[in-house]
Amino acid sequence: MKVDGKHFRSIWRERDGWSVGAIDQRQLPHEFVVARLVSCEDAVVAIRDMLVRGAPLIGATAAYGMALAMREDASDAGLKRAYDTLVVARPTAINLKWALDEMRAALAPIDPVERAEAAYARADEIVEQDVEINRGIAGNGLKLIETIAAKKKPGETVNVLTHCNAGWLATVDWGTATAPIYLAHERGIKIHVWVDETRPRNQGASLTAWELGHHGVPHTVIPDNTGGHLMQHGMVDLAIVGTDRVAANGDVCNKIGTYLKALAAHDNGVPFYVALPSPTIDFAVDDGIRDIPIEQRSGTEVTDMTGRTADGRLETVRIVPEGSPVANYAFDVTPARLVTGLITERGVLKPDRASLAEAFPERVAARSVP
Ligand SMILES: CSC[C@H]1O[C@H](OP(=O)(O)O)[C@H](O)[C@@H]1O
């Protein structure tokens, strides 16, 4: 999307034709830094250390990581090594494995001398497919926003709450949860976004607020615990969040705290939507709460905070007593019963197995391939 009028994507193949550019999201909102990935290991570190993050972007980065790996060693052993090191970079977003499976399917059958070129071509396709899918999510989600806007008095605003960052920074472009928001904004609908700061890494405060602000979308950053109060007082018309993995039964895995937002929405009759591209559906998982692996990250993400001092320096401070144990679960799973609908590129679906399978039969069939 736009950063002060200039169009950006979150990741791209550089003009040299082989290295990969990516916005270093660890530096936002304070500094806009572009990283250059030149090896498969760079891609592994970028995913693991969250230089790039967000399920679809993790997949895109892994796809280019595989292409970088094929430049290094296109043998069968090199292909296996690249797959095995990339696939464990982070455990929860299924898009990582989806993208690597797509790359392996394209590369394994062909002559190693052809693999590097074929890998970049397939990675480019995955990147462009993400953008097209998100445009589809935008159009399908827009209808929900338009329906709410039509019931408003002239000049009234549609208030959307979102959690974490499922914006263009979490994908290649447009985002998932934010895609309908950007499209509504561009169509002239008065829209405002309540942005959960999203402790402990503050993807909402640091990333969602940054991208909405630079695209000109009205928004307000709120502490994570505020959403329920706003819903009780009629200040939220709908919630739209992203997801890292949707189980076949419609359970939704997303950033920690999403489940609590869904409970508050259910209690207050606020529609709770989840936006996702079809690669985020994992038909191999029948029960999300039981089966989706929840990443636990370093406790320093909880004990420490980084910010800009009054004189412009970036500093990290500790906010938890030395010696206090810390738990840092990065995701939780919202049961399908709390989800109003799944906004996909093929429409807004009920969060259940039959609806997912009917909309994406090719992905159910893929599950049966070992
Ligand atoms: C469109 S996927 C966005 C999804 O990914 C985020 O997790 P992380 O920042 O740890 O990669 C969060 O769960 C977002 O909803």
Side-chain angles (χ1 to χ4, degrees), residues 50 53-56 90 164-165 170 176 203 242-244 254-255 331:
M50 296 177 69
R53 28 65 51 202
R90 289 186 74 189
C164 197
N165 174 255
T176 57
Q203 287 95 324
T243 175
D244 298 79
N254 196 48
K255 184 53 52 195
F331 300 96

Side-chain angles (χ1 to χ4, degrees), residues 15-36:
R15 287 200 179 91
D16 60 17
W18 67 269
S19 63
V20 177
I23 297 171
D24 183 346
Q25 299 189 25
R26 301 169 301 179
Q27 312 305 325
L28 291 174
H30 305 300
E31 294 179 352
F32 184 88
V33 174
V34 172
R36 183 168 176 259

Side-chain angles (χ1 to χ4, degrees), residues 202-232:
N202 302 317
Q203 287 95 324
S206 301
L207 303 178
T208 303
W210 182 86
E211 62 169 83
L212 292 175
H214 283 280
H215 197 79
V217 179
H219 62 283
T220 304
V221 178
I222 53 175
D224 291 327
N225 299 322
T226 309
H229 167 74
L230 297 176
M231 293 177 191
Q232 280 177 329

